[in-house]
């Protein structure tokens, strides 16, 4: 697998089928601007069993992409600073970069043994230049594997979107391709006109020479998660899969730290989507960031015994259940404006919740709702955040199995991840490990 090669064959530009109105702009919120240090990357893998992706030039995909981009003028625009000095998107239909590539291995082999640094090659990315007037802030790379598998990677600067928006765009693209109405149309209504505060626990500037980070994804089956939730039911009867997995990985990672002081306090930053938490909810297709960062803390002595994990599960659950709209607006409106981007994912270990992307009515996640061809569901989805610093990142996301099955992407310093991968408490849950190779994952 170490010799696997991703070969880029062509670079195209996809523009809207219909011209964008001249002079249209979209101003980013201060929360958006605060995320500029980071990048987002989502890769959706397809087995391609119906040979939908068989065309050598993929012209059928490019045609539907141009059609759907008509509804997304901010994706084909270019970043600029407005007269007030704030970031804005000039909707000039300059286009989205599209890269066509091949991978000289099968999809199954790739998911079994590719490293994070190799997976990074499936997403096209160039850091934003000083003058972004000709720089495409959204990039799509379509990768064809031997044997027919395909992976589509979508990348953007984090100040333009969050994972909820990216997932909704993927679904819109596939619906447009299949001549279906768009379920989650984009919304470009500004969040608010007030300034946003720095999140005190997460906005310290990153170190100049960060340690090498590695990533691994653990896949937990529905049956395993159901058993885990039943074990903590007495302590936390309404625990979600996220509550349990966040508590599990937080406690196991805390034990990897060199300190032996049982009274030391460990903190976990929780990253939560607040679209549905507002009295006037934001739509899933909201263009921008709707993320709230908050912190929970626990003493080491309360995290050491795996039999007492239910207490930590309850701590996480009660914290999230107690989030009120007033707290969210207070965080948004209560501080001075951020003048420059900061490291929002760090210094504490950060855990991203994607439970809101589950549709319990049809037992499907929005992450796996992007269906090209004859209704083939994605085989796997990877979500990555670039430029993570501090203690690392945990992303708990839905699995292709559906139900309460979950995938947990863990990004830590290489040595810590190697130890976590041997952790007996985690291994007792018999996770399937994918994309487990080591490698620097920053974009």
């Amino acid at each position: 697998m170490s010799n696997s090669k991703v070969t880029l064959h062509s670079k195209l530009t996809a523009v809207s089928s219909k011209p964008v109105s001249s002079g249209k702009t979209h101003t980013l919120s201060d929360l958006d601007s605060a995320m500029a240090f980071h990048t987002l990357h989502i890769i959706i893998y397809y087995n391609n069993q119906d040979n939908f992706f068989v065309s050598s030039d993929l012209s059928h995909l490019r045609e539907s992409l141009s059609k759907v981009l008509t509804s997304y003028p901010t994706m084909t625009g270019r970043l600029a600073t407005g007269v007030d000095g704030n970031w804005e998107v000039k909707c000039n239909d300059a286009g989205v970069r599209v890269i066509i590539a091949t991978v000289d291995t099968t999809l199954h082999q790739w998911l079994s043994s590719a490293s994070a640094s190799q997976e990074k090659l499936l997403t096209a990315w160039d850091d934003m230049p000083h003058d972004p007037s000709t720089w495409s802030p959204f990039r799509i790379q379509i990768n064809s594997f031997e044997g027919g598998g395909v992976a589509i990677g979508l990348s953007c600067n984090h100040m333009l979107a969050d994972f909820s928006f990216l997932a909704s765009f993927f679904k819109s693209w596939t619906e447009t391709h299949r001549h279906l109405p768009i379920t989650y149309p984009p919304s470009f209504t500004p969040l608010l006109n007030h300034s946003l505060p720095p999140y005190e626990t997460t906005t310290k500037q990153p170190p100049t020479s960060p340690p090498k980070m590695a990533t691994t994804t653990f896949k937990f089956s529905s049956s395993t998660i159901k058993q885990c939730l039943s074990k903590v039911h007495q302590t936390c009867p309404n625990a979600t899969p996220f509550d349990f997995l966040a508590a599990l990985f937080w406690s196991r990672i805390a034990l990897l730290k060199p300190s032996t002081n049982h009274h030391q306090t460990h903190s976990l930053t929780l990253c939560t989507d607040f679209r549905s938490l507002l009295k006037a909810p934001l739509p899933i297709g909201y263009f921008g960031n709707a993320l709230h960062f908050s912190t929970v803390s626990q003493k080491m002595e309360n995290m050491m015994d795996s039999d007492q994990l239910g207490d930590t599960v309850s701590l996480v659950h009660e914290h999230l259940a107690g989030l009120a709209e007033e707290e969210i607006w207070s965080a948004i409106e209560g501080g001075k404006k951020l003048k420059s981007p900061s490291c929002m994912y760090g210094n504490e270990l950060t855990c991203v919740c994607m439970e809101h992307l589950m549709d319990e009515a049809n037992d499907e996640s929005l992450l796996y709702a992007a269906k090209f061809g004859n209704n083939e569901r994605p085989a796997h989805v990877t979500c990555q955040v670039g430029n993570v610093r501090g203690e690392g990142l945990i992303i708990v996301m839905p699995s292709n199995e559906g139900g309460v099955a979950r995938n947990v992407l863990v990004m830590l310093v290489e040595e810590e991840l190697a130890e976590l991968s041997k952790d007996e408490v985690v291994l007792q849950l018999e996770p399937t490990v994918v994309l487990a190779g080591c490698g620097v994952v920053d974009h």
Side-chain angles (χ1 to χ4, degrees):
M1 194 65 222
S2 59
N3 295 323
S4 292
K5 184 178 181 181
V6 178
T7 303
L8 307 183
H9 292 283
S10 60
K11 181 181 292 186
L12 315 167
T13 300
V15 297
S16 306
S17 296
K18 298 179 181 179
V20 176
S21 301
S22 177
K24 182 180 178 63
T25 62
H26 176 83
T27 302
L28 303 184
S29 73
D30 292 332
L31 174 57
D32 294 334
S33 298
M35 307 299 293
F37 181 74
H38 300 287
T39 57
L40 285 188
H41 312 270
I42 182 169
I43 305 172
I44 300 186
Y45 293 88
Y46 296 90
N47 286 317
N48 193 27
Q49 294 175 340
D50 57 3
N51 292 320
F52 169 77
F53 302 97
V54 70
S55 173
S56 59
D57 63 358
L58 298 171
S59 58
H60 56 324
L61 276 184
R62 292 163 54 194
E63 181 179 352
S64 59
L65 177 59
S66 290
K67 287 181 179 179
V68 76
L69 287 175
T70 301
S71 300
Y72 292 82
T74 51
M75 292 185 64
T76 59
R78 295 294 181 262
L79 280 164
T81 51
V83 293
D84 57 359
N86 292 323
W87 283 109
E88 65 180 19
V89 179
K90 291 186 177 297
C91 302
N92 55 9
D93 202 19
V96 173
R97 295 284 186 266
V98 180
I99 291 85
I100 307 299
T102 56
V103 188
D104 62 354
T105 188
T106 67
L107 177 57
H108 176 74
Q109 291 170 330
W110 180 271
L111 293 177
S112 299
S113 56
S115 69
S117 56
Q118 288 174 316
E119 191 182 36
K120 171 183 171 182
L121 300 176
L122 300 183
T123 59
W125 188 247
D126 292 321
D127 289 332
M128 182 170 63
H130 179 71
D131 178 10
S133 59
T134 61
W135 175 77
S136 176
F138 286 88
R139 292 163 189 261
I140 296 171
Q141 183 167 317
I142 304 173
N143 309 274
S144 299
F145 290 83
E146 290 184 356
V150 169
I152 303 179
L154 172 60
S155 302
C156 71
N157 189 288
H158 203 335
M159 68 175 168
L160 290 160
D162 54 24
F163 282 127
S164 297
F165 174 82
L166 295 186
S168 69
F169 169 74
F170 258 115
K171 181 173 174 61
S172 297
W173 182 6
T174 61
E175 289 171 334
T176 298
H177 188 89
R178 296 163 62 198
H179 307 289
L180 298 174
I182 292 178
T183 304
Y184 302 109
S187 170
F188 305 107
T189 302
L191 180 62
L192 72 167
N193 295 321
H194 300 288
S195 295
L196 292 163
Y199 288 98
E200 295 297 336
T201 60
T202 57
T203 57
K204 296 179 181 178
Q205 293 297 330
T208 55
S209 299
K212 289 185 177 181
M213 309 287 280
T215 183
T216 290
T217 297
F218 301 85
K219 296 171 66 74
F220 297 93
S221 67
S222 281
S223 59
T224 294
I225 297 299
K226 287 178 181 178
Q227 292 175 8
C228 293
L229 294 178
S230 67
K231 290 180 180 179
V232 299
H233 179 78
Q234 187 172 357
T235 307
C236 188
N238 297 317
T240 67
F242 174 81
D243 299 332
F244 176 84
L245 291 167
L248 172 68
F249 281 90
W250 177 24
S251 61
R252 303 320 295 174
I253 293 171
L255 290 172
L256 300 176
K257 304 303 178 183
S259 174
T260 57
N261 182 357
H262 295 177
H263 300 291
Q264 181 177 349
T265 298
H266 284 267
S267 297
L268 177 70
T269 296
L270 297 174
C271 175
T272 312
D273 189 290
F274 61 71
R275 283 170 171 78
S276 63
L277 300 181
L278 305 180
K279 293 175 183 175
L282 293 173
I284 288 291
Y286 166 74
F287 179 80
N289 288 275
L291 300 176
H292 179 69
F293 293 84
S294 56
T295 302
V296 290
S297 299
Q298 180 84 295
K299 286 187 177 180
M300 190 68 209
E301 59 187 342
N302 298 327
M303 305 175 73
M304 296 185 66
D305 188 351
S306 60
D307 291 334
Q308 300 299 317
L309 183 62
D311 293 336
T312 307
V313 174
S314 293
L315 178 66
V316 173
H317 178 81
E318 292 172 4
H319 177 86
L320 293 180
L323 286 179
E325 180 170 9
E326 291 74 16
E327 178 182 344
I328 295 170
W329 287 120
S330 177
I332 290 173
E333 297 175 338
K336 65 180 183 179
K337 181 177 179 181
L338 279 170
K339 294 296 184 181
S340 61
S342 299
C343 186
M344 302 296 285
Y345 296 86
N347 296 300
E348 293 88 3
L349 183 68
T350 302
C351 191
V352 179
C353 178
M354 292 191 176
E355 294 296 297
H356 66 289
L357 295 180
M358 284 299 301
D359 183 351
E360 297 180 359
N362 58 22
D363 198 29
E364 183 178 67
S365 166
L366 182 58
L367 283 176
Y368 289 86
K371 302 174 184 177
F372 288 105
N374 296 324
N375 233 10
E376 179 186 347
R377 297 177 71 249
H380 180 71
V381 177
T382 292
C383 296
Q384 293 183 347
V385 179
N387 292 329
V388 171
R389 296 294 184 264
E391 294 190 12
L393 179 69
I394 305 167
I395 303 178
V396 180
M397 65 191 82
S399 169
N400 63 327
E401 180 185 339
V404 295
R406 294 292 183 271
N407 296 345
V408 182
L409 182 145
V410 181
M411 185 188 302
L412 295 172
V413 175
E414 287 182 331
E415 295 78 10
E416 290 184 350
L417 185 59
E419 291 300 314
L420 180 68
S421 299
K422 298 182 290 185
D423 186 275
E424 293 183 1
V425 175
V426 174
L427 295 181
Q428 283 175 358
L429 303 183
E430 300 181 343
T432 300
V433 179
V434 298
L435 299 164
C438 293
V440 179
V441 292
D442 289 340
H443 289 260

